[in-house]
Amino acid sequence: MAEIKSHEFDRFAEKPVERFRMFVVYGPDRGLVSERASLIASKTGVDANDAFSSLKLNVGDLQGDPGRLLDEVNAIGLFGGEKLVWVKGAANEKALVDALQVLNETPPQSAFLIIEAGDLKKGTGLRKIAEASRDIAIIPCYADDARALNALIDHELAQDELRIAPAARQRLIESLGGDRIASRNEIRKLGLYCRGNSVIEEEDVLAIIGDASAISADDAVDAILKGDRNAFFHATQKIVSSKTPIFLVLQGCLRQFQLLDQMRAEMDEKKLQAGQVMQTLGRHIHFRRKPVIERALRTWQPAAIAREMNRLQAAILQSRQRQSLEDSVALLTLLSTTLQSGRSG
């Protein structure tokens, strides 16, 4: 197995292509997946913007053409030299899994392959092949913990020669996580706002990051899980009128689906009922919200939860890359999830 754990990645990223030509980067944190895949691509020596030596594919491009990936990886570049094939949006599609199995048996000699995937289950598809291979580097990307967030905050604020007060740091950490690119952009936005100061205070974090009240955010998320459009519109209207970033609801919804995914896995693995799982993994949930979560556990199937997490993660990434569309992307995605919940119920 050639798994690169989180604490090993920075050192690995100094020379990732010294040993490997194939990389599977996966996990629930789509921003971190994208960031690490981009860093690896930059180390290959191939210009990712050169259409003659680099090819970016969405996994949908492989549908109906199962041999395309093998053809592209093994094709000789128009002007010779190394080639980069970069596949995004993967989730154990058969064409991709089959191609990776072949490439694992006969690794490419003059091409690099990077596969960006969502949260892959252990023992399945791409992850199963990569974890058993010595020629494929597999890089899991999970949401930043407090230690990683603190390091990210320190690194980004150091660029503006800023320090942050303990209370402000705690408030900032509470607003981050779930997506590395989103977190990085929020910290940079805060640094820009406080440029010229020496220390960031708690009121600065509240002013620029926002402080969606837990009750309002929970109301919106609960309406989404229940598939209640009217309650969703009412909750989001309150949040927008309070000038709280709707992005925080999008982030909260993702976290809720990540918890649902964890709970469903526990139910299926140990043959438990929803109520039993709530007693262990749901102990921290407010008692008023527990019936909503329990109902969602019964109605949402694992595959649907995985698809929804991927959609929410993609929306978070899109909203941070195009911040002028942040509200529109968030609201449309959340409404879609609400409608899907209604159909699931």
Side-chain angles (χ1 to χ4, degrees), residues 131-149:
E131 286 182 341
S133 174
R134 294 184 177 181
D135 297 305
I136 303 172
I138 183 165
I139 303 162
C141 300
Y142 295 101
D144 289 321
D145 57 18
R147 180 179 178 182
L149 285 175

Side-chain angles (χ1 to χ4, degrees), residues 219-224 227-239 246 249 330-336 338:
D219 285 346
V221 172
D222 287 352
I224 292 166
D228 189 334
R229 285 179 293 173
N230 291 334
F232 167 74
F233 289 134
H234 180 67
T236 52
Q237 187 176 34
K238 284 171 57 180
I239 290 169
I246 195 68
V249 181
L331 286 169
L332 286 173
T333 302
L334 292 170
L335 177 58
S336 177
T338 304

Side-chain angles (χ1 to χ4, degrees), residues 171 175 186 189 204-212 243-245 248:
R171 179 70 69 172
S175 301
E186 291 299 311
K189 186 168 65 175
D204 298 319
V205 177
L206 293 175
I208 197 63
I209 302 297
D211 183 28
K243 300 191 183 304
T244 296
L248 294 180

Side-chain angles (χ1 to χ4, degrees), residues 184-254:
R184 190 184 296 279
N185 285 339
E186 291 299 311
I187 298 168
R188 287 177 177 174
K189 186 168 65 175
L190 177 64
L192 182 62
Y193 175 78
C194 296
R195 187 170 293 172
N197 298 341
S198 58
V199 179
I200 297 173
E201 302 291 350
E202 186 175 9
E203 54 265 29
D204 298 319
V205 177
L206 293 175
I208 197 63
I209 302 297
D211 183 28
S213 78
I215 295 175
S216 296
D218 286 349
D219 285 346
V221 172
D222 287 352
I224 292 166
L225 291 178
K226 289 188 290 186
D228 189 334
R229 285 179 293 173
N230 291 334
F232 167 74
F233 289 134
H234 180 67
T236 52
Q237 187 176 34
K238 284 171 57 180
I239 290 169
V240 171
S241 63
S242 69
K243 300 191 183 304
T244 296
I246 195 68
F247 167 78
L248 294 180
V249 181
L250 186 64
Q251 194 174 61
C253 192
L254 173 59

Side-chain angles (χ1 to χ4, degrees), residues 257-275:
F257 271 90
Q258 288 171 337
L259 179 59
L260 285 178
D261 186 52
Q262 183 182 0
M263 288 178 164
R264 279 300 312 225
E266 186 84 354
M267 286 173 60
D268 295 343
E269 182 179 341
K270 298 183 178 179
K271 308 299 181 185
L272 300 176
Q273 297 298 315

